[in-house]
Amino acid sequence: MNETLDLFAAWLRGTSISEVIRVSTWLWPVCEILHFFGLSLLIGVAGFFDLRLLGFMRRVPISAAWTLMPWAKAGFALAALTGVTFFVGAPEQYINNPAFYLKVLFLIVANLNAVYFEAIYRRQVEAKALDAAGPSAVKVIAVVSIVSWLFVIYWGRMLPFIGNAF
Amino acid sequence: MMELLASLENSGFGIWLRESPSMWAYPAVLTLHTLGLGVLVGGNAVLDLRLLGWGRAIPLAPLEKLFPVMWIGFWVNAISGVVLFVGDATTKGTTWVFMTKLAIIVVGVVLLRALRRTVYGRGQDAVVETPTSRVLAAASLALWFLAIVTGRYMAYV
């Protein structure tokens, strides 16, 4: 398994797009800036919605807080796109790094949680059926969201300190 | 000045922060700095987006509760930032990038206080949206983005 991963990393590193990312002096830092800004948008908007689900800022209808959610998704897209850029540019820094796999694990948990919320509750939210007080199940979803995004940041920050990155 | 920076950097604490292999040293402080950034810039972005015209169905009055959240993010970062500075004082204390970042943060805090005064200064029953509040929201969003730009740039000096 490790050998396959190493072969994959070596192949990816050999592609011309990977070289472009590595050779450029400005692309990596610009992606870092956008990665952090995307992270902020995501944490801010999704965190705001989660706090509302948990009962803070009760005078904000849940359906109204929901209308900002495209900004959380835009933040995620920005962070994901720049994150993939890092991976393509230097795959060997991630492919054997335990922090990378833990970050991906929490990314999967956070995204499945968000998809589950949309699948089950989106209609009720948009029909303003949850505006007063949502069912307690949405509070569990809000907590899972906050905790899993925090761990995504934690393991992302650990990338250079655990394993071989940077 | 240089002596002061060097003595900070070479203090027991400065050395521990830099050289300890413990996850509770540099990695933990850096993680806190990232979390604080997300809370401050993210909380600020929610208010700015609303003032700039997105999510109009959200009543403005309860959003004043975002300010304590932003200040928590700010103080987490002020404290973790001082700690990170001690570990690398001679480099950070002498680069224009760091001075620029500090200046941006000072302006950002002034703008944030002005924003609160403009929108919430007349009390919860008289929350107002004005052209000024929109300008302040746009400026605030831009300033905290520039704080991230200069912060990331410090890794390259």
Side-chain angles (χ1 to χ4, degrees):
Chain A
M1 184 64 183
N2 270 347
E3 228 167 86
T4 317
L5 287 175
D6 288 337
L7 280 173
F8 170 70
W11 167 81
L12 190 57
R13 196 182 156 83
T15 59
S16 50
I17 178 134
S18 176
E19 200 187 333
V20 168
I21 295 165
R22 269 196 315 280
V23 170
S24 165
T25 50
W26 57 267
L27 191 59
W28 195 284
V30 166
C31 283
E32 282 182 331
I33 290 164
L34 296 177
H35 200 70
F36 277 71
F37 190 65
L39 170 167
S40 300
L41 261 184
L42 170 64
I43 291 295
V45 176
F48 166 68
F49 188 72
D50 291 334
L51 287 178
R52 176 58 193 88
L53 288 182
L54 289 172
F56 294 95
M57 296 173 278
R58 277 188 188 280
R59 285 179 294 155
V60 176
I62 287 180
S63 60
W66 177 253
T67 61
L68 277 184
M69 207 47 98
W71 286 97
K73 290 172 185 172
F76 176 76
L78 195 57
L81 190 69
T82 49
V84 168
T85 306
F86 299 139
F87 185 86
V88 172
E92 74 287 353
Q93 292 188 336
Y94 304 98
I95 208 81
N96 288 314
N97 192 331
F100 174 71
Y101 292 97
L102 285 161
K103 177 170 180 174
V104 170
L105 174 71
F106 281 101
L107 273 171
I108 292 170
V109 173
N111 276 286
L112 285 180
N113 186 56
V115 167
Y116 178 78
F117 179 85
E118 279 221 41
I120 306 291
Y121 294 103
R122 182 178 182 153
R123 279 187 181 187
Q124 295 174 60
V125 168
E126 289 178 349
K128 307 184 184 208
L130 299 185
D131 278 0
S136 52
V138 300
K139 295 195 166 80
V140 177
I141 294 175
V143 170
V144 171
S145 170
I146 291 172
V147 172
S148 52
W149 288 119
L150 288 185
F151 271 104
V152 169
I153 293 180
Y154 175 75
W155 288 113
R157 214 50 272 204
M158 287 301 127
L159 280 167
F161 302 110
I162 296 176
N164 60 344
F166 308 92
Chain B
M1 187 64 186
M2 202 58 202
E3 280 165 35
L4 176 69
L5 294 174
S7 67
L8 274 178
E9 191 171 302
N10 297 321
S11 64
F13 183 77
I15 293 169
W16 172 79
L17 182 77
R18 235 179 6 261
E19 294 176 10
S20 166
S22 166
M23 283 296 146
W24 295 108
Y26 191 73
V29 182
L30 205 54
T31 302
L32 284 176
H33 208 64
T34 309
L35 290 175
L37 177 161
V39 170
L40 170 61
V41 182
N44 180 252
V46 169
L47 182 63
D48 294 339
L49 287 170
R50 170 61 185 80
L51 287 169
L52 289 170
W54 280 283
R56 282 216 169 273
I58 301 172
L60 260 182
L63 292 192
E64 190 175 11
K65 288 191 182 150
L66 287 173
F67 280 93
V69 176
M70 286 186 248
W71 293 129
I72 289 171
F74 173 80
W75 284 110
V76 165
N77 271 28
I79 294 165
S80 57
V82 167
V83 171
L84 292 171
F85 180 86
V86 168
D88 191 24
T90 56
T91 306
K92 288 192 171 77
T94 52
T95 166
W96 64 270
V97 183
F98 184 69
M99 300 304 157
T100 310
K101 179 179 172 175
L102 282 188
I104 287 168
I105 290 167
V106 169
V107 178
V109 167
V110 169
L111 282 180
L112 211 48
R113 294 173 61 100
L115 187 62
R116 186 172 192 173
R117 229 176 13 253
T118 305
V119 179
Y120 299 102
R122 292 173 197 79
Q124 276 276 306
D125 299 323
V127 173
V128 284
E129 268 180 278
T130 59
T132 312
S133 68
R134 278 188 285 281
V135 171
L136 285 173
S140 180
L141 200 56
L143 257 290
W144 293 114
F145 178 74
L146 287 176
I148 293 179
V149 172
T150 45
R152 280 317 314 167
Y153 195 67
M154 298 227 321
Y156 294 87
V157 293

